[in-house]
Amino acid sequence: MPRTNPLPSQPSVTQWETVSRVVFPVTDADMTMPLYAIEWTRPALSDDVVNAFANFYSLDFSAMNEAELRRLLNASRRTPANTSSSVFTVDGRTAITVHAGQHASFCTYFNAFPAGYWRRWTHVASVRFTARIRGRGMLQLMRSTGRGLIHPVREVPVDAMDAYATVDVETAMDGLLDGGFFWFDAKADIDAELRIEDAQWSVPCSARRDAEPKPFSIAIATFNRAPYCLRQLRAIAADANVRERLDTIYCTDQGTDHVCDQEGFADVAAELGAQLTYIQQANLGGSGGFSRGMFETLQAGRSGYTMLLDDDAISEPESVIRAVQFADYCDTPTIVGGGMLHLDNRTVMYAQGERFDKAEVRMFPCVGAEYNHDYAQFPLRDCPQLHRRFDADFNGWWLCLIPTAVMEDIGLSLPAFIKFDDIEYGLRAKEHGYATVSLPGVAVWHQAWHDKDPGRSWEEYFNNRNRWVCALLHIDRPKWQMVYQMAYGDANLGLRLVYSGVKLRHLAMRDVMRGPRYMVDSLPTALATAREARKGFSDTDTRAHITDFPEAATEYEPQGKPKSRKHVQQECFHAVFEALATNRNGAQDARPARAVAAKDATWRAFRGQSSVLVTSADGNSVAWCRRDNALFRKQFKRGLILSKEFFKRWDQLAAEYKAANLGSIEMWERIFRG
């Protein structure tokens, strides 16, 4: 007889809300599947998971022989996670079949339930797992701790060959203060398949902060990325779970290649109906586009949140609704963000939440985290360090949900155009008592940064200006590391012969000292000003083809023995001294002295060369950069003078920028009207 009753089930009057659905990719599965499901393998327990002292001691590599080295390397060899169709087959968005004799695990980025985060930020005391299952085999409910130790919760035997059975298991939220995940593994009998449908994690509705959840809005800012933006709108329109909670998408088009002119826009607009508000405005950058969506949300007065979503990102729609529902249950209004996966390497996570270093005025991964983690090579279930909870200072605005209550209290973005607007907002929120949570299982795919070099573009102006405005707003007193960072930035560009970038850095510093009023007034014109300032330098004279310039005399080949950080710093200091103390000039070179690929375009590749032919980071252009040590000496001195003046006026400038309330709703209303 088929088993149609729930397998383990207990009568309950608790009302439950599904907050995390186990989903699978229906497109690009070959590139993304390790983020959803993998073949089960026996977990390995290394000593450092249980022994905190294992990281105290260094190894004596000089005493290691060849055989010991080989054993060490072989022990760390890993094969990518197996997602072969011989193990399982995805049957739909919420359905998967584990083949006879196979064992699959769902301890993956998108399908493990981030229980440690729910334990930390909500009052949820227990979680319910449900699924419909057909076939014969075993379902294993699993959990981990913040240390990455794995424990079984319950084994559920399945014998339902003729009809679907229901699994229903409730798990207490204990032992999770430092982190931990819940998930399930599925093992099919040797002679039968196991099909799983509609697996999901639910929480008691009584733990929700407000009795009745409000809808949310989405703010998309776009500039001449019309096809990408249209793709984003289509993805949202196609997801019923998102549409059920969605009030409006505020699509702010600031370009000249308009989204509304794209073929297919009319169909998407008709499908979304009142859930799409299309706005055209002058180019005010990402901060202006996102702030417009935030502003319109507040004006409409219907939504509990605004989700900022990049136009060129590819969304996992389940991420959108997960962020909203997690925010519903947070004890206090909380900003909820997600990770950024590489668009060109879909299983690599660039960052899952970041911290801000106030000494050096820069961002870095959360404590214990890392940049660029590959979940195909190192799945979640095999990485104990990823099971801890990571606490963030801010979240990138590729996907970030901001409660209306937070916007009403602290305002909107800085009028920064681009760069540092997301960092500054997270710091501002934190100072007002609002946390930012970068929730695992919430992410988008976004173009990575490795094909960009802001120092060789107009972006360097905004990167530098907004960095120091952010510092004035959120750092009480300047640290000595800031002086080093300013000099280092000038030296890094000067040694690479990017003199236009040094000029932009100084222009940015000058404009910071002109005060907050200038920052607001120049918002519509700052981009044009930065572009104009770059003209006239050899590094900005770019061509589409390498043959547009004479052939370089030599080609740079990275060599040299690895050295300690101290030795590399000393070498860099010597290179700076050489550039400052000599008058070498490459203006009269008949041909480039060296050709350098974008990947190798560090200061070492330029050292001792009068001129260098270097390709751009995106591979679309090439520049013949010519050395001018006299100019560099003048620029470096100028940078020191500006830095001295900046730090001298720190307290005055900080007071002015704080008093200006640049991100206020009233300020943005004047900007939009203007």
Side-chain angles (χ1 to χ4, degrees):
M1 294 290 293
R3 236 176 131 173
T4 57
N5 60 300
L7 295 180
S9 178
Q10 299 176 353
S12 174
V13 295
T14 302
Q15 295 295 315
W16 298 87
E17 180 180 15
T18 299
V19 294
S20 184
R21 300 152 190 81
V22 175
V23 295
F24 306 102
V26 292
T27 61
D28 301 329
D30 54 333
M31 294 186 283
T32 64
M33 188 59 76
L35 298 169
Y36 297 86
I38 59 175
E39 181 183 26
W40 182 91
T41 55
R42 187 176 302 280
L45 183 66
S46 59
D47 182 59
D48 61 305
V49 176
V50 294
N51 178 16
F53 293 97
N55 294 323
F56 276 35
Y57 311 108
S58 62
L59 295 177
D60 184 3
F61 287 100
S62 63
M64 183 177 292
N65 60 33
E66 183 179 343
E68 290 172 331
L69 177 61
R70 188 178 297 112
R71 281 196 296 270
L72 176 65
L73 295 176
N74 287 339
S76 63
R77 288 180 62 188
R78 304 180 64 89
T79 56
N82 186 10
T83 58
S84 168
S85 59
S86 63
V87 179
F88 53 77
T89 300
V90 170
D91 302 313
R93 180 63 169 156
T94 61
I96 192 170
T97 297
V98 181
H99 298 309
Q102 300 299 315
H103 198 169
S105 177
F106 302 89
C107 183
T108 56
Y109 179 78
F110 278 125
N111 283 330
F113 181 75
Y117 290 78
W118 281 83
R119 174 67 174 83
R120 166 64 179 85
W121 299 107
T122 77
H123 280 146
V124 171
S126 63
V127 177
R128 181 188 188 190
F129 172 80
T130 58
R132 298 175 65 243
I133 303 182
R134 183 171 181 172
R136 189 164 54 242
M138 181 75 70
L139 203 71
Q140 300 158 310
L141 273 295
M142 308 293 294
R143 63 177 296 163
S144 65
T145 67
R147 299 169 71 178
L149 298 173
I150 297 175
H151 304 283
V153 175
R154 186 176 300 180
E155 289 192 344
V156 181
V158 179
D159 188 1
M161 296 298 294
D162 300 323
Y164 280 96
T166 301
V167 172
D168 190 332
V169 178
E170 186 176 342
T171 304
M173 297 280 281
D174 52 19
L176 296 166
L177 280 179
D178 288 333
F181 289 83
F182 295 165
W183 70 92
F184 73 96
D185 297 332
K187 184 178 182 180
D189 274 5
I190 193 67
D191 59 351
E193 292 185 331
L194 197 62
R195 180 181 169 92
I196 304 157
E197 288 187 359
D198 301 327
Q200 49 195 302
W201 301 90
S202 304
V203 298
C205 296
S206 58
R208 196 165 48 215
R209 190 173 67 253
D210 297 322
E212 293 297 329
K214 291 183 178 181
F216 76 105
S217 292
I218 295 175
I220 300 176
T222 185
F223 177 79
N224 290 348
R225 287 174 174 162
Y228 297 96
C229 187
L230 183 61
R231 179 184 62 191
Q232 187 73 277
L233 295 176
R234 281 193 177 119
I236 297 169
D239 192 276
N241 291 322
V242 174
R243 295 283 299 277
E244 186 177 353
R245 281 289 300 269
L246 179 66
D247 177 53
T248 302
I249 304 170
Y250 294 103
C251 179
T252 303
D253 194 337
Q254 304 180 121
T256 55
D257 180 14
H258 294 137
V259 181
C260 63
D261 295 333
Q262 289 288 302
E263 183 178 351
F265 174 81
D267 295 335
V268 174
E271 183 177 358
L272 287 167
Q275 289 183 310
L276 175 63
T277 300
Y278 180 71
I279 302 167
Q280 290 182 345
Q281 71 177 24
N283 184 18
L284 302 178
S287 69
F290 282 137
S291 289
R292 183 62 183 268
M294 298 160 77
F295 177 81
E296 295 293 340
T297 300
L298 293 176
Q299 293 293 104
R302 297 184 298 270
S303 295
Y305 313 95
T306 302
M307 174 169 284
L308 311 184
L309 192 60
D310 259 351
D311 59 345
D312 59 346
I314 296 179
S315 301
E316 164 50 75
E318 180 66 17
S319 293
V320 175
I321 197 64
R322 283 178 185 174
V324 174
Q325 291 182 300
F326 178 79
D328 287 341
Y329 286 84
C330 286
D331 297 338
T332 59
T334 301
I335 297 173
V336 181
M340 190 193 101
L341 293 155
H342 285 252
L343 192 60
D344 53 6
N345 199 334
R346 299 289 184 88
T347 59
V348 177
M349 175 66 71
Y350 165 69
Q352 180 79 58
E354 296 174 89
R355 303 296 292 272
F356 184 73
D357 186 336
K358 291 188 175 182
E360 298 191 4
V361 197
R362 67 178 181 88
M363 64 289 281
F364 61 96
C366 293
V367 176
E370 62 179 354
Y371 286 126
N372 299 314
H373 180 88
D374 189 350
Y375 280 100
Q377 193 74 21
F378 302 98
L380 175 64
R381 73 186 309 272
D382 296 334
C383 294
Q385 71 276 15
L386 295 182
H387 288 243
R388 67 176 290 173
R389 189 191 72 251
F390 299 124
D391 294 333
D393 286 335
F394 70 95
N395 199 96
W397 280 359
W398 42 76
L399 183 154
C400 192
L401 184 80
I402 304 176
T404 298
V406 175
M407 293 185 288
E408 289 173 338
D409 188 14
I410 74 171
L412 314 181
S413 167
L414 276 185
F417 196 80
I418 62 168
K419 303 293 185 184
F420 266 81
D421 44 355
D422 47 7
I423 299 173
E424 190 281 329
Y425 199 86
L427 297 178
R428 196 193 326 164
K430 186 175 183 180
E431 291 171 1
H432 283 76
Y434 301 109
T436 295
V437 178
S438 187
L439 187 65
V442 173
V444 296
W445 288 274
H446 192 283
Q447 192 62 47
W449 314 137
H450 46 242
D451 64 348
K452 296 182 179 180
D453 186 354
R456 295 177 62 186
S457 77
W458 52 265
E459 292 183 18
E460 183 65 16
Y461 170 82
F462 296 100
N463 201 29
N464 204 52
R465 184 198 66 175
N466 300 341
R467 179 188 190 190
W468 297 114
V469 169
C470 179
L472 289 169
L473 290 170
H474 302 291
I475 299 175
D476 293 333
R477 293 294 302 167
K479 312 294 192 297
W480 71 266
Q481 293 97 324
M482 296 183 188
V483 180
Y484 174 80
Q485 284 290 320
M486 288 181 168
Y488 172 83
D490 285 358
N492 179 49
L493 292 175
L495 291 182
R496 294 192 291 141
L497 314 185
V498 187
Y499 303 123
S500 69
V502 182
K503 180 175 181 179
L504 288 182
R505 289 173 57 82
H506 297 165
L507 179 64
M509 181 58 66
R510 183 204 69 180
D511 289 350
V512 170
M513 290 189 284
R514 294 172 83 166
R517 184 72 254 175
Y518 182 78
M519 186 175 183
V520 175
D521 292 342
S522 65
L523 181 60
T525 60
L527 174 57
T529 301
R531 282 176 165 162
E532 183 66 27
R534 295 184 71 238
K535 293 181 179 179
F537 293 91
S538 62
D539 60 271
T540 65
D541 180 17
T542 58
R543 310 290 173 83
H545 303 283
I546 293 178
T547 52
D548 290 339
F549 291 114
E551 184 179 2
T554 61
E555 183 178 355
Y556 176 68
E557 183 177 356
Q559 292 178 344
K561 297 179 181 178
K563 301 176 182 177
S564 68
R565 184 178 296 272
K566 180 179 179 181
H567 279 86
V568 173
Q569 288 177 337
Q570 289 176 344
E571 184 182 352
C572 183
F573 290 149
H574 290 156
V576 173
F577 179 77
E578 290 170 4
L580 293 174
T582 63
N583 289 321
R584 194 166 185 182
N585 191 297
Q588 303 305 318
D589 283 10
R591 61 189 299 196
R594 174 178 283 177
V596 177
K599 174 181 177 294
D600 303 317
T602 64
W603 58 267
R604 185 175 282 172
F606 293 80
R607 187 177 184 185
Q609 305 302 309
S610 58
S611 65
V612 172
L613 193 68
V614 58
T615 51
S616 62
D618 61 8
N620 287 326
S621 63
V622 60
W624 183 2
C625 299
R626 299 170 183 264
R627 182 176 296 278
D628 189 342
N629 284 354
L631 173 61
F632 176 53
R633 185 161 54 248
K634 180 180 178 181
Q635 286 187 321
F636 197 78
K637 180 180 178 181
R638 172 66 174 162
L640 295 176
I641 293 173
L642 285 169
S643 299
K644 181 181 179 181
E645 178 68 15
F646 177 60
F647 289 121
K648 181 181 178 181
R649 296 177 55 191
W650 181 281
D651 290 339
Q652 170 207 339
L653 288 168
E656 290 178 6
Y657 276 93
K658 290 174 183 177
N661 202 8
L662 292 173
S664 69
I665 298 168
E666 294 76 19
M667 180 69 75
W668 276 107
E669 186 172 17
R670 290 199 296 269
I671 291 172
F672 294 140
R673 287 177 176 174

